[in-house]
Amino acid sequence: MRHPYRKKIIYCGLVIIILIIFLHPDMNGHGTYDFIAKEDILRNLHAETAVNFTSTAVIDCEYYDILWDDTTLSQSLVDGDLVEGHGIREGGEYAPQECKPKYSTAIIVPYRDRAEQLRGFLVYMHTFFRRQRIHYRIFVVEQVDSRLFNRAKLMNIGAVAAMKAGFPCLVLHDVDLLPLRPANIYACSKCPRHMSSSINKFRFVLPYLTLFGGAIAIISKQYKDINGMSNEYFGWGGEDDDLYSRLEASNLKVCRFEPETSRYHMVPHRSTQKGEAKKKLLSSAKERMLEDGLSSLQYVEVATVLHPLFTHIMVDL
């Protein structure tokens, strides 16, 4: 005699199998990848401070304890305010007073029309950075014209400003990403580093091995050597893959920290309008890199304002 619920049982079983296949990290992305082990991170960091940076501290900052700090900052920080006496200088610059930092980092954030998200980002990131004992400054580059958003070009503009200020390390950072682990030190590695390889939106799985966007750290000289990012990507998508092609053409291998250290929370937001003709641009990425980038960067600087928590560069592309 046939079981009366046989078809339903088979159907439910198939649904469960499909869900397991779809949701399992190893079936839908790269759950594992080559990474710099936690005990090797410090020897792989590029220890250099900004040209004009000086510190009155007598002892050097130590970072070993930060690497093994497994705490997670609360995302509710985005809804709060910074504590008084935070020591952040005008323009969003900070350095610890109790010790001499080994790293100077410029954080470059391309931006438009996300005021509340930016406010939360700044509060969270300053709180996060002050635990890392680094010298840093946050540059927010805002596109004020009505053209499609050009994230990569804004990154180039911020990079030029940061390098002019003498920063040896650039972190190119989306405003919707919040790092969760203090061990993810915001300093450059000797190789260009994909910092945000483990994001909640992708179930903390790297979608594909050549992904190089979200939050990345690159030595200023390396960024100059690849001529920065392309200026041609208006609208969402393509510019990160173009950047990866430039690194590949320059024999610069991308590195990452372990997934647990590289965890980020992506704040929900409305999607940016996609641009067109990206495949054609990507197909010529390596051929264009010498004439498309920092060397061809043109824009109108509308204003630069030193706010208490960031340097605000407003531009017309």
Side-chain angles (χ1 to χ4, degrees), residues 3 6 50 55 73 78 93 113 121 128 134 146 155 162 166 175 178 185 192 212 233 245 251 277 298 300-301 308:
H3 196 286
R6 183 171 178 269
S55 173
L73 261 67
V78 300
E93 186 172 2
D113 296 336
F121 173 87
F128 180 88
I134 62 171
S146 59
M155 293 290 197
V175 73
L178 304 175
I185 295 179
F212 194 64
Y233 288 84
S245 293
N251 295 315
Q298 294 184 354
V300 176
E301 183 176 327

Side-chain angles (χ1 to χ4, degrees), residues 25-316:
D26 293 335
M27 299 293 183
N28 197 39
H30 290 270
T32 59
Y33 51 78
D34 292 336
F35 57 81
I36 298 172
K38 190 173 284 190
E39 57 269 22
D40 295 326
I41 286 177
L42 292 182
R43 70 171 65 100
N44 277 279
L45 292 182
H46 178 71
E48 184 181 358
T49 53
V51 174
N52 300 320
F53 174 72
T54 57
S55 173
T56 58
V58 177
I59 61 172
D60 290 335
C61 294
E62 294 293 336
Y63 300 91
Y64 186 81
D65 60 318
I66 299 173
L67 287 181
W68 298 98
D69 184 350
D70 292 328
T71 59
T72 299
L73 261 67
S74 171
Q75 294 156 32
S76 64
L77 283 171
V78 300
D79 298 319
D81 295 301
L82 286 171
V83 296
E84 292 185 10
H86 47 61
I88 300 169
R89 296 196 290 271
E90 192 175 54
E93 186 172 2
Y94 173 85
Q97 300 298 309
E98 69 277 9
C99 60
K100 188 184 301 181
K102 296 179 181 178
Y103 314 105
S104 288
T105 303
I107 295 88
I108 299 162
V109 184
Y111 168 78
R112 183 164 69 180
D113 296 336
R114 294 189 192 176
E116 188 60 28
Q117 196 170 81
L118 176 62
R119 194 203 73 82
F121 173 87
L122 291 168
V123 172
Y124 184 97
M125 296 304 286
H126 277 298
T127 304
F128 180 88
F129 290 146
R130 287 168 61 244
R131 298 177 61 170
Q132 293 201 329
R133 304 182 198 124
I134 62 171
H135 166 231
Y136 70 88
R137 182 175 171 185
I138 298 178
F139 295 82
V140 175
V141 189
E142 180 178 6
Q143 182 176 336
V144 298
D145 60 67
S146 59
R147 300 182 70 182
L148 287 177
F149 191 63
N150 192 324
R151 174 176 170 272
K153 193 170 183 178
L154 296 177
M155 293 290 197
N156 282 342
I157 294 168
V160 169
M163 290 188 286
K164 187 176 180 180
F167 280 90
C169 172
L170 310 173
V171 169
L172 312 181
H173 208 298
D174 288 344
V175 73
D176 59 358
L177 287 179
L178 304 175
L180 299 179
R181 297 289 191 262
N184 195 357
I185 295 179
Y186 271 62
C188 281
S189 305
K190 294 172 184 176
C191 48
R193 187 167 95 249
H194 184 211
M195 304 179 73
S196 56
S197 57
S198 186
I199 302 177
N200 66 320
K201 179 181 178 180
F202 306 121
R203 303 189 311 282
F204 299 109
V205 172
L206 181 65
Y208 55 96
L209 288 174
T210 58
L211 178 61
F212 194 64
I216 66 172
I218 184 168
I219 296 170
S220 295
K221 184 182 182 304
Q222 293 173 337
Y223 197 72
K224 283 182 182 177
D225 289 344
I226 63 170
N227 200 21
M229 297 181 74
S230 169
N231 297 314
E232 300 301 318
Y233 288 84
F234 285 89
W236 178 85
E239 70 277 3
D240 293 332
D241 294 326
D242 188 294
L243 175 58
Y244 186 88
S245 293
R246 292 174 180 235
L247 296 174
E248 197 173 46
S250 303
N251 295 315
L252 289 170
K253 186 178 179 181
V254 169
C255 60
R256 297 179 172 94
F257 291 166
E258 64 183 13
E260 186 64 29
T261 301
S262 306
R263 288 194 161 212
Y264 280 74
H265 174 76
M266 180 178 284
V267 180
H269 59 87
R270 56 184 173 82
S271 298
T272 305
Q273 187 176 351
K274 287 188 177 183
E276 301 297 331
K278 297 299 177 68
K279 286 185 178 180
K280 185 177 180 180
L281 276 173
L282 280 172
S283 66
S284 62
K286 294 179 181 179
E287 290 75 17
R288 286 183 294 99
M289 65 178 287
L290 294 180
E291 60 266 3
D292 171 23
L294 295 176
S295 62
S296 62
L297 185 61
Q298 294 184 354
Y299 61 96
V300 176
E301 183 176 327
V302 177
T304 295
V305 181
L306 300 182
H307 291 289
L309 299 183
F310 66 103
T311 297
H312 190 187
I313 304 172
M314 289 162 275
V315 295
D316 188 329

